[in-house]
Amino acid sequence: MEWIQQLVNGISLGSIYALIALGYTMVYGIIKLINFAHGDVFMIGAFIGFYAIAKWELGFFPALLLAMVVCAIFGVLIERIAYKRLRNATRIAALITAIGVSLLIEYTTIFFRGAQPAAYPEVFKNRTLDILGVQISSTSILILSVAVVLMILLQFIVHKTKIGKAMRAVSHDADAARLMGINVDNTISATFAIGSALAGAAGVIFGVYYTKIDPLMGVIPGVKAFIAAVLGGIGIIPGAMVGGMLLGVVESMVSALGYSLWRDAAAFVILILILIFRPSGIFGKNAREKV
Amino acid sequence: MKENKKLKKFGSLLVASSLLAGVLAGCGAGDDSSSGGGSSSGGGSSDGDTIKIGANLELSGNVASYGSSIGVGAELAVKEINDAGGIDGKKIELIKVDNKSENSEATAAAIKLATQDKVVAMLAPATSGNTVATVQIANDNKIPIVTGSGTAPNITVNDDGSVNEYAFRTCFIDPFQGIVAANFAASELDAKNVAIFADNASDYAKGLAKSFKETITKNGGKVVKEEAYVAKDADFRTQLTNIKAANPDFIFIPGYYEEVGLIVKQAREMGITVPLMGADGWDSPTLVELAGKTALNNTFITNHYSAEDPDQKIQDFVKAFKAANSDKAPDAFNALGYDTIYYIADAIKRAGSTDGEAIKNELAGTKDLSLVTGTFSVDENHNPIKTATVLEFKDGKQVFNSKVNP
């Protein structure tokens, strides 16, 4: 029974990683940039959700929506201000800029509100359901459902809408897409908007599930989500989902075996192994289409 | 090379000490231990009519709550002493520096206080790790440091058993809290099968876990599960699942409030209802915010003092503190910060000098000093011998449970 319990713990954690990893993977898929500021968009989302619930007394879903909208705008702004001019620069320049943007967001937040953590208010009366001896809290079910719904929505956007088609086209070959009359700049912005909205949602979910948020909370989940994206195959959307879930479960299992202090290390061992033995990730082989 | 440096230092200090001597002559302190050859190497000085005391505190970062609380308590004590005429007519000036809750920053802050501000004594950081990072600076500059709440044994005593001459504290040490917790668990809560869930990133938590384990085993209890976490974790459900499976009737959680708050919350959500216990690291309003009031019921901590203790001295302090801080009740860190200033001021007064060595000798020789967190004498390891208080959380409030003597 404990093992099923641990699996539930892992999937809850994994669904948060997966939501963040989607943003990494989408941005990489379209402009080959590892957006290290993505974990901080996640943090901004968590804080917007916090203020929406604690200060403006909105419910969970309005707060989630607000965080997603603000993060989408924020993501587009980051792209327009910091990355757009560097689109034809070397990749290392863009990467270092991303790290700079990340630190800028973190320390600006600390400047405005201080480094002390905040506690998420309780939005739901948390009930624990007993399913065949496994204790599953209503919050973790909610988190999982929100994450799954958002991922389905993303699949729908990418495969069934015009902007999704444009995204796939740009990721495939930006120049050819431009020749076909696709507005590449707007498509890239849309990618940032969608990826950042998902990170914002992950931030609110994280706050509700783990209670504590602080300005540097995006660093570790950001790196873990990056590992998840690489694990699944960076640039591939289903890869990010599977990679996130898998990483969450692996971490939980490492702890469950009594090696809780190795949990973070395990994630990085996975990163190193995957980069050595299968750099294209689990889903990397037969992926023709990206984004 | 070292000699050379020393000579240089000696030269500059000779100038400083002649100034110092002038000041001393002014206030007419004829204590033998304060003057004499050795005192020329004292790092501190006091200019004009003030005595500078440095405060190296966690004003931001992950244990900011402790450092700020100590600072607030210290300021109240400084104000009281100055209003009552200061030390031999000289006012105390408290110089606060933020160490951002980081060891390296704590070291840098201590160097700044010692060399730039030329303080005569320092309030060391609130946590053990940060304090240990400043001990060497204190010894090198011959400036006494006193931590209000650094409870790790290795602040005052090195691993080889030698005493750090210039390091002192106002609080009891970690092993003592672990022993008190284990005795309380065995006698009051009837704990037989216990689990320990410790912060493996801090010496403080590891020290507590060790002494708790030794004592509870001696009391006939059994440790059925030991789990660990590291600071900054947010997900403790996996370890708690393991603990729950071992079915303990008591869980000891030495750690700091930021993580402990989440642990308590997640444990209660997972249906762990047994008593949980920790130590002074739990003492912060943030703990209550993170864990929630109901989750904290049936949890206990050992602490330095309780604002509800009926003792007259404590009640007077509570009154003065509330008057100065918009009716907020003082927590243990406020009380320790307050006591630390009084402890230092008492030593400076008895030394009749601001020389580091003289102050150090008086700090070490303190006997039966009556303070808010208890009356204490300092033992040969520079640790105060004092009582501990056990508190219970009831609907988010700390309720006085009992006092435990060493």
Side-chain angles (χ1 to χ4, degrees), chain A residues 2 5-6 9 13 115 117-119 126 128 135 206 209-212 214 252 255-258 260-261 263, chain B residues 61 200 227-230 232-235 237-239 241-242 244-245 258-259 262 265-266 269-270 286 289-290:
Chain A
E2 288 156 61
Q5 180 87 61
Q6 296 289 20
N9 296 336
L13 181 65
N126 193 20
T128 308
Q135 315 260 319
F206 183 94
Y209 194 50
Y210 293 116
T211 316
K212 190 187 76 170
D214 66 85
S252 291
S255 295
L257 289 169
S260 54
L261 297 174
R263 188 160 71 175
Chain B
N200 216 42
E227 283 283 339
Y229 65 92
V230 288
K232 292 276 157 209
D233 274 0
D235 181 27
R237 287 180 171 87
T238 47
Q239 292 102 313
T241 304
N242 282 349
K244 196 183 174 198
E258 254 195 53
E259 287 81 22
L262 302 184
K265 181 177 198 277
Q266 291 174 13
E269 275 175 11
M270 291 171 58
T286 312
E289 264 175 53
L290 289 172

Side-chain angles (χ1 to χ4, degrees), chain A residues 75-279:
Chain A
V76 172
L77 282 178
I78 294 173
E79 195 270 329
R80 284 280 149 116
I81 296 167
Y83 301 148
K84 196 179 166 193
R85 282 161 227 271
L86 297 173
R87 211 165 283 158
N88 295 319
T90 52
R91 284 178 55 189
I92 192 80
L95 185 74
I96 291 169
T97 306
I99 294 170
V101 171
S102 163
L103 292 171
L104 180 72
I105 298 171
E106 285 163 15
Y107 289 92
T108 310
T109 313
I110 291 179
F111 177 79
F112 281 114
R113 69 165 297 284
Q116 75 282 7
Y120 246 66
E122 203 152 341
V123 253
F124 301 104
K125 200 88 209 101
N126 193 20
R127 261 172 310 191
T128 308
L129 307 172
D130 201 316
I131 302 171
L132 302 168
V134 180
Q135 315 260 319
I136 300 174
S137 74
S138 50
T139 330
S140 56
I141 294 175
L142 178 96
I143 282 166
L144 196 60
S145 1
V146 171
V148 169
V149 167
L150 287 173
M151 288 179 210
I152 293 171
L153 198 67
L154 178 66
Q155 283 292 9
F156 175 79
I157 290 172
V158 171
H159 290 283
K160 302 281 185 221
T161 63
K162 212 170 149 192
I163 190 75
K165 202 180 231 173
M167 281 160 63
R168 282 182 289 151
V170 172
S171 81
H172 207 76
D173 188 336
D175 290 329
R178 194 175 284 120
L179 290 175
M180 294 296 122
I182 291 171
N183 187 333
V184 173
D185 281 341
N186 283 354
T187 310
I188 291 172
S189 289
T191 312
F192 267 87
I194 295 170
S196 302
L198 291 174
V204 178
I205 290 176
F206 183 94
V208 171
Y209 194 50
Y210 293 116
T211 316
K212 190 187 76 170
I213 59 168
D214 66 85
L216 298 180
M217 66 184 275
V219 180
I220 292 294
V223 176
K224 295 281 181 65
F226 167 69
I227 297 173
V230 173
L231 177 63
I234 195 153
I236 306 155
I237 288 177
M241 297 184 202
V242 173
M245 294 288 184
L246 204 61
L247 192 66
V249 171
V250 166
E251 283 194 16
S252 291
M253 289 306 157
V254 169
S255 295
L257 289 169
Y259 300 103
S260 54
L261 297 174
W262 286 89
R263 188 160 71 175
D264 285 359
F268 289 96
V269 169
I270 289 176
L271 175 68
I272 294 165
L273 291 180
I274 203 100
L275 286 177
I276 293 173
F277 294 109
R278 200 179 161 81

